[in-house]
Amino acid sequence: MSSGDHKVSKISSEAIFAVRPISSSKFLISLIFCLSLILVDLRFQTSNIVRGYVQDFLSPLYTIIKLPGIFLDRIIEVRTSKQELRESLYKYKEDNLKLELINSQLKDLTKRNQELNLVWNTAQIDKEAYLLGQKRSLSGNPLRPSLVLDVNDPLSIVETNQPVLSREGIIGKITSVGIASVEVMITQDPQSLIPIISSSTRIHGILKGKGLERRGLLVNVKKTASFREGEELYSSGLGDVFPPNYLVGKIIFIEDKPDNEFLQIEVEFIDLPKDQDYFLVFTN
Amino acid sequence: MSKNLKNNLIICLSLLFFLLVDLLPFPQLVNEIKPSFLILSFIYWNLALPGKINLVFALAFGLISDFLQGTLLGVYPLIFILISYFCQRFFNQFRPLRFIQQGAIIFLLLLIVKFFLVIDFSNVESSTLTLADKNYVLFAFSFAVLSSFFWPPLFYLLRLYRRRWITLKK
Protein backbone atom coordinates (compact mmCIF):
# COMPACT_ATOMS: atom_id res chain seq x y z
CA MET A 1 0.00 0.00 0.00
CA SER A 2 1.70 3.20 -1.04
CA SER A 3 1.49 6.36 0.98
CA GLY A 4 0.27 8.27 -2.04
CA ASP A 5 -3.02 6.33 -2.19
CA HIS A 6 -3.98 6.52 1.45
CA LYS A 7 -3.65 8.67 4.50
CA VAL A 8 -0.60 7.24 6.26
CA SER A 9 -0.10 7.10 10.01
CA LYS A 10 2.92 9.02 11.20
CA ILE A 11 3.30 6.59 14.04
CA SER A 12 3.17 3.19 12.39
CA SER A 13 3.58 4.20 8.72
CA GLU A 14 0.56 2.05 7.90
CA ALA A 15 -2.43 3.30 5.97
CA ILE A 16 -4.70 4.48 8.74
CA PHE A 17 -7.89 2.87 7.54
CA ALA A 18 -6.10 -0.35 6.71
CA VAL A 19 -5.55 -1.13 10.42
CA ARG A 20 -8.42 -3.38 11.35
CA PRO A 21 -9.76 -3.34 14.86
CA ILE A 22 -10.31 -6.66 16.59
CA SER A 23 -12.89 -8.56 14.59
CA SER A 24 -16.34 -8.65 16.14
CA SER A 25 -16.43 -12.45 16.21
CA LYS A 26 -13.12 -12.68 18.09
CA PHE A 27 -14.29 -10.00 20.46
CA LEU A 28 -17.57 -11.80 21.12
CA ILE A 29 -15.87 -15.16 21.65
CA SER A 30 -13.43 -13.60 24.15
CA LEU A 31 -16.27 -11.83 25.89
CA ILE A 32 -18.22 -15.08 26.24
CA PHE A 33 -15.06 -16.83 27.44
CA CYS A 34 -14.50 -14.21 30.16
CA LEU A 35 -18.12 -14.25 31.27
CA SER A 36 -18.01 -18.06 31.44
CA LEU A 37 -14.86 -17.84 33.57
CA ILE A 38 -16.62 -15.46 35.95
CA LEU A 39 -19.75 -17.60 36.15
CA VAL A 40 -17.84 -20.84 36.67
CA ASP A 41 -15.70 -19.21 39.36
CA LEU A 42 -18.78 -17.80 41.06
CA ARG A 43 -20.64 -21.07 41.00
CA PHE A 44 -17.87 -23.57 41.74
CA GLN A 45 -15.05 -21.36 43.09
CA THR A 46 -12.68 -23.08 40.70
CA SER A 47 -10.02 -20.41 41.02
CA ASN A 48 -9.50 -21.33 44.69
CA ILE A 49 -8.09 -24.65 43.55
CA VAL A 50 -5.40 -23.03 41.44
CA ARG A 51 -4.82 -19.67 43.13
CA GLY A 52 -2.35 -21.06 45.66
CA TYR A 53 -0.28 -22.73 42.94
CA VAL A 54 -0.42 -19.63 40.72
CA GLN A 55 0.85 -17.59 43.67
CA ASP A 56 3.80 -20.01 43.85
CA PHE A 57 4.36 -19.45 40.14
CA LEU A 58 4.11 -15.68 40.48
CA SER A 59 6.39 -15.49 43.51
CA PRO A 60 9.36 -14.30 41.36
CA LEU A 61 7.35 -11.13 40.64
CA TYR A 62 7.14 -10.37 44.34
CA THR A 63 10.84 -11.10 44.67
CA ILE A 64 11.62 -8.63 41.88
CA ILE A 65 9.58 -5.97 43.68
CA LYS A 66 11.50 -6.59 46.84
CA LEU A 67 14.88 -6.45 45.08
CA PRO A 68 15.68 -2.77 45.72
CA GLY A 69 14.85 -3.21 49.40
CA ILE A 70 16.81 -6.45 49.62
CA PHE A 71 19.80 -4.80 47.97
CA LEU A 72 19.79 -2.00 50.51
CA ASP A 73 19.36 -4.49 53.33
CA ARG A 74 22.32 -6.48 52.12
CA ILE A 75 24.60 -3.46 52.09
CA ILE A 76 23.64 -2.65 55.63
CA GLU A 77 24.03 -6.27 56.67
CA VAL A 78 27.52 -6.51 55.23
CA ARG A 79 28.55 -3.42 57.12
CA THR A 80 27.12 -4.40 60.47
CA SER A 81 27.19 -8.22 60.13
CA LYS A 82 23.79 -8.52 61.65
CA GLN A 83 22.89 -11.82 59.99
CA GLU A 84 23.19 -13.72 63.25
CA LEU A 85 21.23 -11.11 65.08
CA ARG A 86 18.45 -11.34 62.51
CA GLU A 87 18.23 -15.11 62.87
CA SER A 88 17.93 -14.92 66.63
CA LEU A 89 15.48 -12.05 66.29
CA TYR A 90 13.35 -14.11 63.92
CA LYS A 91 13.35 -16.96 66.43
CA TYR A 92 12.42 -14.68 69.29
CA LYS A 93 9.76 -13.02 67.14
CA GLU A 94 8.24 -16.39 66.40
CA ASP A 95 8.22 -17.37 70.08
CA ASN A 96 6.93 -13.98 71.06
CA LEU A 97 4.12 -14.20 68.53
CA LYS A 98 3.05 -17.58 69.84
CA LEU A 99 3.18 -16.42 73.43
CA GLU A 100 1.24 -13.23 72.71
CA LEU A 101 -1.42 -15.23 70.94
CA ILE A 102 -1.71 -17.71 73.77
CA ASN A 103 -1.82 -14.79 76.18
CA SER A 104 -4.70 -13.24 74.25
CA GLN A 105 -6.58 -16.52 74.35
CA LEU A 106 -5.88 -16.92 78.04
CA LYS A 107 -7.25 -13.47 78.78
CA ASP A 108 -10.69 -14.41 77.61
CA LEU A 109 -10.43 -17.89 79.07
CA THR A 110 -9.61 -16.44 82.47
CA LYS A 111 -12.67 -14.25 82.30
CA ARG A 112 -14.84 -17.19 81.35
CA ASN A 113 -13.36 -19.34 84.08
CA GLN A 114 -14.15 -16.72 86.67
CA GLU A 115 -17.71 -16.53 85.44
CA LEU A 116 -18.40 -20.18 84.85
CA ASN A 117 -16.02 -21.65 87.42
CA LEU A 118 -14.24 -23.73 84.81
CA VAL A 119 -11.00 -25.45 85.60
CA TRP A 120 -7.73 -24.62 83.84
CA ASN A 121 -7.51 -28.11 82.39
CA THR A 122 -10.13 -27.26 79.78
CA ALA A 123 -7.67 -24.98 77.99
CA GLN A 124 -5.87 -27.15 75.46
CA ILE A 125 -3.05 -24.99 74.25
CA ASP A 126 -0.65 -26.67 71.90
CA LYS A 127 2.24 -24.65 70.51
CA GLU A 128 2.85 -27.20 67.78
CA ALA A 129 -0.59 -26.54 66.33
CA TYR A 130 0.60 -23.22 64.91
CA LEU A 131 2.58 -22.73 61.72
CA LEU A 132 4.35 -19.46 61.01
CA GLY A 133 3.55 -17.65 57.75
CA GLN A 134 5.31 -14.61 56.36
CA LYS A 135 3.32 -11.97 54.50
CA ARG A 136 4.14 -11.79 50.81
CA SER A 137 1.51 -9.39 49.60
CA LEU A 138 -1.83 -7.80 50.32
CA SER A 139 -3.84 -6.96 47.23
CA GLY A 140 -4.65 -3.29 46.69
CA ASN A 141 -8.36 -3.80 46.09
CA PRO A 142 -9.89 -2.66 49.39
CA LEU A 143 -13.20 -4.41 48.82
CA ARG A 144 -11.67 -7.72 47.80
CA PRO A 145 -8.52 -7.85 49.93
CA SER A 146 -6.53 -11.02 49.66
CA LEU A 147 -3.48 -11.76 51.73
CA VAL A 148 -0.78 -14.08 50.39
CA LEU A 149 1.48 -15.80 52.90
CA ASP A 150 4.67 -17.78 52.44
CA VAL A 151 4.33 -20.89 54.55
CA ASN A 152 6.97 -23.51 55.15
CA ASP A 153 4.81 -26.60 55.33
CA PRO A 154 6.89 -29.75 54.73
CA LEU A 155 4.22 -32.02 56.22
CA SER A 156 1.40 -30.54 54.09
CA ILE A 157 -0.83 -29.94 57.08
CA VAL A 158 -2.15 -26.62 55.81
CA GLU A 159 -5.64 -26.87 54.36
CA THR A 160 -8.36 -24.53 53.21
CA ASN A 161 -10.62 -23.01 55.88
CA GLN A 162 -7.89 -23.14 58.53
CA PRO A 163 -7.86 -19.91 60.55
CA VAL A 164 -4.99 -17.45 60.32
CA LEU A 165 -4.06 -15.54 63.44
CA SER A 166 -2.08 -12.44 64.22
CA ARG A 167 -0.44 -11.76 67.57
CA GLU A 168 -3.76 -10.50 68.88
CA GLY A 169 -6.33 -12.78 67.37
CA ILE A 170 -8.10 -13.96 64.23
CA ILE A 171 -7.12 -12.30 60.97
CA GLY A 172 -8.80 -14.55 58.41
CA LYS A 173 -9.01 -18.02 56.95
CA ILE A 174 -7.21 -19.86 54.19
CA THR A 175 -9.05 -20.00 50.88
CA SER A 176 -6.41 -21.52 48.63
CA VAL A 177 -3.30 -23.60 49.25
CA GLY A 178 -0.23 -23.81 47.02
CA ILE A 179 3.13 -25.49 47.47
CA ALA A 180 4.82 -22.76 49.47
CA SER A 181 2.12 -20.13 49.62
CA VAL A 182 -1.44 -19.76 50.79
CA GLU A 183 -4.12 -17.21 50.00
CA VAL A 184 -6.09 -15.87 52.93
CA MET A 185 -9.51 -14.26 53.01
CA ILE A 186 -9.11 -11.68 55.74
CA THR A 187 -11.78 -10.76 58.24
CA GLN A 188 -12.30 -7.33 56.64
CA ASP A 189 -13.34 -8.96 53.35
CA PRO A 190 -17.02 -8.25 52.59
CA GLN A 191 -17.49 -11.99 52.03
CA SER A 192 -16.12 -12.88 55.46
CA LEU A 193 -18.51 -13.86 58.26
CA ILE A 194 -17.27 -14.81 61.74
CA PRO A 195 -19.40 -16.12 64.60
CA ILE A 196 -18.51 -14.05 67.65
CA ILE A 197 -19.38 -13.70 71.30
CA SER A 198 -19.13 -10.44 73.21
CA SER A 199 -16.73 -10.28 76.14
CA SER A 200 -18.95 -8.95 78.92
CA THR A 201 -22.56 -9.42 77.82
CA ARG A 202 -21.82 -12.89 76.34
CA ILE A 203 -24.17 -12.38 73.40
CA HIS A 204 -23.61 -14.30 70.18
CA GLY A 205 -23.59 -12.67 66.76
CA ILE A 206 -22.14 -12.73 63.26
CA LEU A 207 -19.45 -10.24 62.31
CA LYS A 208 -19.26 -9.23 58.67
CA GLY A 209 -16.37 -7.45 56.95
CA LYS A 210 -16.89 -4.27 54.92
CA GLY A 211 -13.48 -3.84 53.28
CA LEU A 212 -9.95 -2.86 54.23
CA GLU A 213 -9.68 -0.03 56.73
CA ARG A 214 -13.44 -0.06 57.05
CA ARG A 215 -15.50 -0.93 60.09
CA GLY A 216 -17.16 -4.32 60.22
CA LEU A 217 -20.82 -4.82 61.01
CA LEU A 218 -22.65 -7.14 63.35
CA VAL A 219 -25.48 -8.47 61.23
CA ASN A 220 -29.09 -9.07 62.16
CA VAL A 221 -28.80 -8.05 65.80
CA LYS A 222 -32.23 -7.49 67.35
CA LYS A 223 -32.95 -4.20 69.05
CA THR A 224 -33.37 -5.95 72.39
CA ALA A 225 -29.74 -7.13 72.38
CA SER A 226 -27.64 -5.41 75.01
CA PHE A 227 -24.28 -5.01 73.27
CA ARG A 228 -22.15 -2.20 74.68
CA GLU A 229 -19.76 0.19 73.01
CA GLY A 230 -16.15 -0.65 73.79
CA GLU A 231 -16.95 -4.30 74.30
CA GLU A 232 -14.44 -6.76 72.86
CA LEU A 233 -15.62 -9.49 70.52
CA TYR A 234 -14.14 -12.99 70.58
CA SER A 235 -14.66 -15.89 68.22
CA SER A 236 -17.39 -18.14 69.55
CA GLY A 237 -16.23 -21.30 67.80
CA LEU A 238 -19.66 -21.97 66.31
CA GLY A 239 -19.47 -23.38 62.81
CA ASP A 240 -16.19 -25.16 63.58
CA VAL A 241 -14.12 -22.94 61.28
CA PHE A 242 -12.62 -20.49 63.74
CA PRO A 243 -11.42 -21.70 67.15
CA PRO A 244 -13.17 -20.14 70.15
CA ASN A 245 -11.90 -17.37 72.43
CA TYR A 246 -9.72 -15.44 69.99
CA LEU A 247 -10.05 -11.69 69.79
CA VAL A 248 -11.67 -10.48 66.55
CA GLY A 249 -12.53 -6.83 67.16
CA LYS A 250 -14.11 -4.23 69.37
CA ILE A 251 -17.53 -2.57 69.22
CA ILE A 252 -17.07 1.13 68.64
CA PHE A 253 -20.48 2.38 67.60
CA ILE A 254 -24.07 1.30 68.18
CA GLU A 255 -27.01 2.99 66.50
CA ASP A 256 -30.70 2.27 66.86
CA LYS A 257 -32.31 3.60 63.69
CA PRO A 258 -36.10 3.87 63.82
CA ASP A 259 -36.48 2.68 60.22
CA ASN A 260 -34.24 -0.35 60.70
CA GLU A 261 -35.43 -3.65 62.09
CA PHE A 262 -31.99 -4.38 63.52
CA LEU A 263 -29.35 -2.53 65.49
CA GLN A 264 -26.46 -1.08 63.51
CA ILE A 265 -23.33 -2.13 65.35
CA GLU A 266 -19.97 -1.10 63.94
CA VAL A 267 -16.86 -2.99 64.87
CA GLU A 268 -13.20 -2.11 64.59
CA PHE A 269 -11.13 -5.12 63.65
CA ILE A 270 -7.86 -5.98 65.34
CA ASP A 271 -4.53 -4.94 63.77
CA LEU A 272 -4.67 -4.68 60.00
CA PRO A 273 -2.42 -7.10 58.13
CA LYS A 274 -0.50 -4.26 56.50
CA ASP A 275 1.14 -3.53 59.82
CA GLN A 276 2.40 -7.05 60.32
CA ASP A 277 4.74 -9.41 58.54
CA TYR A 278 4.19 -12.65 60.43
CA PHE A 279 1.03 -14.60 61.01
CA LEU A 280 0.17 -17.97 62.49
CA VAL A 281 -1.84 -20.65 60.76
CA PHE A 282 -3.84 -22.69 63.25
CA THR A 283 -3.57 -26.22 61.88
CA ASN A 284 -5.54 -28.19 64.45
CA MET B 1 14.29 -13.68 16.03
CA SER B 2 11.55 -12.40 13.75
CA LYS B 3 10.65 -8.73 13.89
CA ASN B 4 7.09 -9.50 14.91
CA LEU B 5 8.13 -11.69 17.83
CA LYS B 6 10.68 -9.13 18.95
CA ASN B 7 8.05 -6.36 18.90
CA ASN B 8 5.62 -8.49 20.89
CA LEU B 9 8.32 -9.23 23.45
CA ILE B 10 9.15 -5.56 23.79
CA ILE B 11 5.48 -4.71 24.33
CA CYS B 12 5.19 -7.57 26.84
CA LEU B 13 8.24 -6.31 28.72
CA SER B 14 6.78 -2.84 29.09
CA LEU B 15 3.44 -4.26 30.29
CA LEU B 16 5.27 -6.52 32.73
CA PHE B 17 7.25 -3.56 34.03
CA PHE B 18 4.08 -1.58 34.71
CA LEU B 19 2.47 -4.64 36.28
CA LEU B 20 5.39 -4.68 38.73
CA VAL B 21 5.04 -0.94 39.32
CA ASP B 22 1.37 -1.51 40.18
CA LEU B 23 2.40 -4.23 42.62
CA LEU B 24 4.79 -2.03 44.60
CA PRO B 25 3.61 -1.89 48.20
CA PHE B 26 2.29 1.44 49.42
CA PRO B 27 0.17 2.56 52.37
CA GLN B 28 -3.49 1.60 51.96
CA LEU B 29 -4.63 5.13 51.14
CA VAL B 30 -2.06 5.45 48.34
CA ASN B 31 -2.96 1.96 47.13
CA GLU B 32 -6.56 3.02 46.68
CA ILE B 33 -5.85 6.13 44.64
CA LYS B 34 -2.62 5.39 42.78
CA PRO B 35 -3.12 5.14 39.02
CA SER B 36 -3.19 1.77 37.35
CA PHE B 37 -0.14 2.02 35.12
CA LEU B 38 -0.82 -1.38 33.59
CA ILE B 39 -4.21 -0.27 32.26
CA LEU B 40 -2.79 3.07 31.06
CA SER B 41 0.08 1.38 29.23
CA PHE B 42 -2.35 -1.15 27.77
CA ILE B 43 -4.46 1.71 26.45
CA TYR B 44 -1.34 3.32 24.99
CA TRP B 45 -0.29 0.19 23.09
CA ASN B 46 -3.80 -0.29 21.75
CA LEU B 47 -3.83 3.27 20.46
CA ALA B 48 -0.28 3.37 19.17
CA LEU B 49 -0.06 -0.06 17.57
CA PRO B 50 -3.60 -1.39 17.17
CA GLY B 51 -2.47 -3.97 14.66
CA LYS B 52 0.12 -5.46 17.03
CA ILE B 53 -1.91 -5.84 20.20
CA ASN B 54 -4.26 -8.79 20.08
CA LEU B 55 -6.63 -10.41 22.51
CA VAL B 56 -3.96 -12.81 23.78
CA PHE B 57 -2.30 -9.85 25.52
CA ALA B 58 -5.64 -8.89 27.07
CA LEU B 59 -6.35 -12.41 28.27
CA ALA B 60 -2.83 -13.14 29.57
CA PHE B 61 -2.34 -9.88 31.47
CA GLY B 62 -5.96 -9.95 32.61
CA LEU B 63 -5.60 -13.39 34.15
CA ILE B 64 -2.31 -12.45 35.85
CA SER B 65 -3.99 -9.35 37.28
CA ASP B 66 -6.88 -11.48 38.54
CA PHE B 67 -4.52 -13.71 40.46
CA LEU B 68 -2.49 -10.81 41.81
CA GLN B 69 -5.46 -8.68 42.83
CA GLY B 70 -7.58 -11.51 44.16
CA THR B 71 -10.56 -10.68 41.95
CA LEU B 72 -12.90 -13.26 40.45
CA LEU B 73 -11.30 -15.12 37.59
CA GLY B 74 -12.29 -13.40 34.35
CA VAL B 75 -12.95 -9.89 35.65
CA TYR B 76 -9.68 -8.31 34.53
CA PRO B 77 -9.57 -10.16 31.17
CA LEU B 78 -13.05 -8.80 30.52
CA ILE B 79 -11.89 -5.27 31.35
CA PHE B 80 -8.80 -5.59 29.15
CA ILE B 81 -10.77 -7.03 26.24
CA LEU B 82 -13.33 -4.23 26.40
CA ILE B 83 -10.59 -1.61 26.63
CA SER B 84 -8.78 -3.26 23.75
CA TYR B 85 -11.86 -3.34 21.58
CA PHE B 86 -12.93 0.24 22.19
CA CYS B 87 -9.41 1.63 21.86
CA GLN B 88 -8.86 -0.17 18.58
CA ARG B 89 -12.30 0.75 17.31
CA PHE B 90 -11.88 4.44 18.07
CA PHE B 91 -8.12 5.00 17.90
CA ASN B 92 -8.54 7.18 14.83
CA GLN B 93 -10.80 9.52 16.73
CA PHE B 94 -8.75 9.41 19.93
CA ARG B 95 -5.28 10.13 18.55
CA PRO B 96 -5.87 13.67 17.23
CA LEU B 97 -7.48 14.82 20.49
CA ARG B 98 -5.65 17.18 22.84
CA PHE B 99 -4.23 15.73 26.04
CA ILE B 100 -6.90 17.42 28.10
CA GLN B 101 -9.58 15.73 26.00
CA GLN B 102 -7.75 12.41 26.09
CA GLY B 103 -7.45 12.85 29.86
CA ALA B 104 -11.20 13.31 30.15
CA ILE B 105 -11.82 10.07 28.25
CA ILE B 106 -9.23 8.23 30.37
CA PHE B 107 -10.93 9.62 33.47
CA LEU B 108 -14.31 8.23 32.43
CA LEU B 109 -12.88 4.92 31.30
CA LEU B 110 -10.97 4.31 34.52
CA LEU B 111 -13.88 5.44 36.66
CA ILE B 112 -16.03 2.82 34.95
CA VAL B 113 -13.27 0.22 35.49
CA LYS B 114 -13.02 1.11 39.18
CA PHE B 115 -16.77 0.71 39.65
CA PHE B 116 -16.86 -2.47 37.60
CA LEU B 117 -14.29 -3.97 39.98
CA VAL B 118 -16.65 -3.69 42.94
CA ILE B 119 -19.75 -5.18 41.36
CA ASP B 120 -21.18 -7.57 43.92
CA PHE B 121 -20.98 -10.76 41.84
CA SER B 122 -21.15 -12.98 44.90
CA ASN B 123 -24.28 -11.23 46.18
CA VAL B 124 -22.69 -10.37 49.51
CA GLU B 125 -25.01 -7.38 49.94
CA SER B 126 -28.49 -8.53 48.99
CA SER B 127 -29.89 -4.99 48.84
CA THR B 128 -27.37 -3.48 46.43
CA LEU B 129 -25.53 -4.42 43.27
CA THR B 130 -22.20 -2.99 44.36
CA LEU B 131 -19.86 -3.19 47.31
CA ALA B 132 -18.81 0.45 46.97
CA ASP B 133 -19.26 2.77 49.91
CA LYS B 134 -18.81 6.56 50.17
CA ASN B 135 -15.07 6.25 50.73
CA TYR B 136 -14.70 4.01 47.73
CA VAL B 137 -16.54 6.46 45.48
CA LEU B 138 -14.27 9.27 46.65
CA PHE B 139 -11.16 7.16 46.12
CA ALA B 140 -12.42 6.02 42.71
CA PHE B 141 -12.72 9.63 41.59
CA SER B 142 -9.25 10.43 42.92
CA PHE B 143 -7.90 7.35 41.17
CA ALA B 144 -9.46 8.37 37.85
CA VAL B 145 -8.26 11.97 38.17
CA LEU B 146 -4.71 10.88 39.01
CA SER B 147 -4.73 8.40 36.15
CA SER B 148 -5.72 11.09 33.68
CA PHE B 149 -2.97 13.35 35.07
CA PHE B 150 -0.42 10.59 34.61
CA TRP B 151 -1.58 9.87 31.06
CA PRO B 152 0.52 12.54 29.21
CA PRO B 153 3.87 11.69 30.87
CA LEU B 154 3.22 7.99 30.42
CA PHE B 155 2.27 8.58 26.81
CA TYR B 156 5.56 10.39 26.10
CA LEU B 157 7.57 7.82 28.03
CA LEU B 158 6.06 4.91 26.10
CA ARG B 159 6.37 6.76 22.83
CA LEU B 160 10.09 7.22 23.47
CA TYR B 161 10.36 3.54 24.34
CA ARG B 162 8.43 2.52 21.22
CA ARG B 163 10.49 4.70 18.90
CA ARG B 164 13.71 3.42 20.44
CA TRP B 165 12.93 -0.29 20.37
CA ILE B 166 10.08 -1.12 18.01
CA THR B 167 10.72 -1.27 14.32
CA LEU B 168 7.87 -1.69 11.89
CA LYS B 169 7.86 -2.84 8.30
CA LYS B 170 8.33 -0.03 5.81
Side-chain angles (χ1 to χ4, degrees):
Chain A
M1 206 169 285
S2 74
S3 60
D5 299 327
H6 296 274
K7 194 178 174 186
V8 172
S9 163
K10 286 177 186 169
I11 298 171
S12 65
S13 305
E14 288 178 80
I16 281 181
F17 299 105
V19 181
R20 284 183 63 208
I22 300 167
S23 72
S24 301
S25 54
K26 275 186 188 172
F27 170 68
L28 272 177
I29 291 168
S30 323
L31 215 60
I32 291 166
F33 174 71
C34 290
L35 289 171
S36 325
L37 271 180
I38 293 173
L39 287 174
V40 169
D41 197 18
L42 264 178
R43 179 73 182 85
F44 304 106
Q45 276 143 17
T46 42
S47 67
N48 282 351
I49 303 164
V50 290
R51 271 182 199 273
Y53 296 104
V54 174
Q55 292 298 348
D56 289 329
F57 181 72
L58 294 176
S59 57
L61 291 183
Y62 295 105
T63 314
I64 293 169
I65 294 166
K66 284 179 188 163
L67 276 179
I70 291 170
F71 181 68
L72 277 174
D73 278 352
R74 286 284 172 209
I75 292 171
I76 296 162
E77 268 175 32
V78 168
R79 288 185 66 183
T80 57
S81 23
K82 68 174 191 185
Q83 190 65 40
E84 284 176 16
L85 279 171
R86 283 190 71 190
E87 278 171 15
S88 56
L89 187 69
Y90 180 87
K91 199 171 170 294
Y92 285 131
K93 216 180 252 179
E94 192 178 327
D95 286 345
N96 192 34
L97 209 59
K98 286 176 184 173
L99 287 170
E100 272 180 333
L101 191 70
I102 289 163
N103 198 28
S104 152
Q105 195 186 17
L106 281 174
K107 196 177 154 192
D108 189 50
L109 275 173
T110 312
K111 203 176 279 177
R112 283 188 71 185
N113 281 346
Q114 284 168 353
E115 288 173 7
L116 304 170
N117 201 17
L118 290 175
V119 284
W120 274 107
N121 296 340
T122 53
Q124 295 176 351
I125 297 159
D126 179 12
K127 274 189 174 184
E128 301 304 315
Y130 301 100
L131 206 66
L132 194 72
Q134 188 177 9
K135 183 171 87 173
R136 187 194 289 167
S137 76
L138 176 65
S139 78
N141 186 351
L143 297 178
R144 187 75 165 86
S146 96
L147 176 70
V148 180
L149 299 179
D150 286 326
V151 177
N152 185 15
D153 178 26
L155 303 171
S156 301
I157 48 172
V158 176
E159 292 168 7
T160 53
N161 282 336
Q162 282 175 343
V164 178
L165 312 157
S166 73
R167 61 174 174 265
E168 287 185 2
I170 290 174
I171 217 79
K173 67 170 182 177
I174 292 174
T175 51
S176 183
V177 181
I179 297 165
S181 53
V182 293
E183 206 173 81
V184 180
M185 177 203 275
I186 61 174
T187 48
Q188 285 97 328
D189 193 308
Q191 292 189 53
S192 157
L193 295 167
I194 303 179
I196 53 93
I197 185 164
S198 59
S199 57
S200 54
T201 51
R202 310 307 297 176
I203 303 172
H204 286 266
I206 302 281
L207 178 60
K208 186 176 185 299
K210 294 292 279 179
L212 266 188
E213 299 214 333
R214 286 159 173 82
R215 292 170 180 177
L217 275 182
L218 278 179
V219 293
N220 301 343
V221 178
K222 286 194 173 174
K223 294 199 172 183
T224 49
S226 52
F227 283 107
R228 290 183 210 140
E229 281 181 18
E231 208 172 358
E232 287 180 333
L233 300 175
Y234 290 86
S235 54
S236 66
L238 295 176
D240 291 336
V241 174
F242 297 102
N245 311 316
Y246 284 94
L247 185 64
V248 181
K250 190 176 167 185
I251 295 176
I252 49 164
F253 180 71
I254 300 176
E255 191 178 15
D256 184 358
K257 286 182 179 171
D259 59 339
N260 196 338
E261 194 184 343
F262 302 107
L263 281 177
Q264 184 175 343
I265 302 178
E266 294 183 1
V267 176
E268 194 170 68
F269 287 99
I270 54 170
D271 273 7
L272 290 168
K274 69 178 173 61
D275 301 328
Q276 289 174 34
D277 279 335
Y278 295 97
F279 298 92
L280 295 171
V281 180
F282 185 68
T283 55
N284 261 10
Chain B
M1 191 188 287
S2 76
K3 205 173 268 183
N4 209 17
L5 184 66
K6 185 191 151 204
N7 289 345
N8 281 345
L9 271 176
I10 287 166
I11 294 169
C12 262
L13 267 179
S14 75
L15 289 172
L16 201 64
F17 173 77
F18 286 111
L19 182 84
L20 291 176
V21 172
D22 280 351
L23 273 184
L24 285 174
F26 288 102
Q28 186 55 29
L29 177 69
V30 182
N31 262 339
E32 293 202 38
I33 61 170
K34 71 174 181 188
S36 171
F37 290 103
L38 178 65
I39 296 179
L40 288 178
S41 57
F42 194 73
I43 292 171
Y44 172 81
W45 286 118
N46 273 289
L47 294 169
L49 300 170
K52 299 278 170 229
I53 293 274
N54 52 40
L55 291 174
V56 177
F57 280 93
L59 281 174
F61 279 91
L63 284 174
I64 293 173
S65 298
D66 272 341
F67 285 116
L68 292 174
Q69 301 292 335
T71 46
L72 270 175
L73 212 57
V75 169
Y76 268 101
L78 190 66
I79 289 170
F80 281 123
I81 283 166
L82 287 170
I83 286 177
S84 207
Y85 182 77
F86 286 109
C87 287
Q88 295 195 21
R89 175 72 184 77
F90 297 109
F91 77 99
N92 284 318
Q93 288 92 328
F94 189 89
R95 273 185 194 167
L97 296 178
R98 289 176 180 185
F99 272 128
I100 195 157
Q101 292 168 315
Q102 291 185 0
I105 294 171
I106 296 282
F107 170 82
L108 281 176
L109 197 66
L110 290 181
L111 197 63
I112 293 167
V113 167
K114 199 75 174 165
F115 284 117
F116 181 74
L117 284 173
V118 287
I119 288 180
D120 187 9
F121 289 107
S122 315
N123 201 21
V124 174
E125 299 283 347
S126 51
S127 54
T128 58
L129 194 69
T130 175
L131 294 168
D133 52 12
K134 278 179 197 167
N135 278 349
Y136 189 85
V137 174
L138 190 70
F139 290 142
F141 270 94
S142 315
F143 161 81
V145 169
L146 274 178
S147 298
S148 54
F149 273 122
F150 272 92
W151 170 247
L154 192 84
F155 179 91
Y156 282 120
L157 187 76
L158 283 170
R159 191 162 76 171
L160 269 176
Y161 174 79
R162 177 176 58 77
R163 286 180 175 172
R164 171 71 183 84
W165 294 106
I166 293 184
T167 46
L168 296 166
K169 281 181 275 186
K170 291 282 176 188

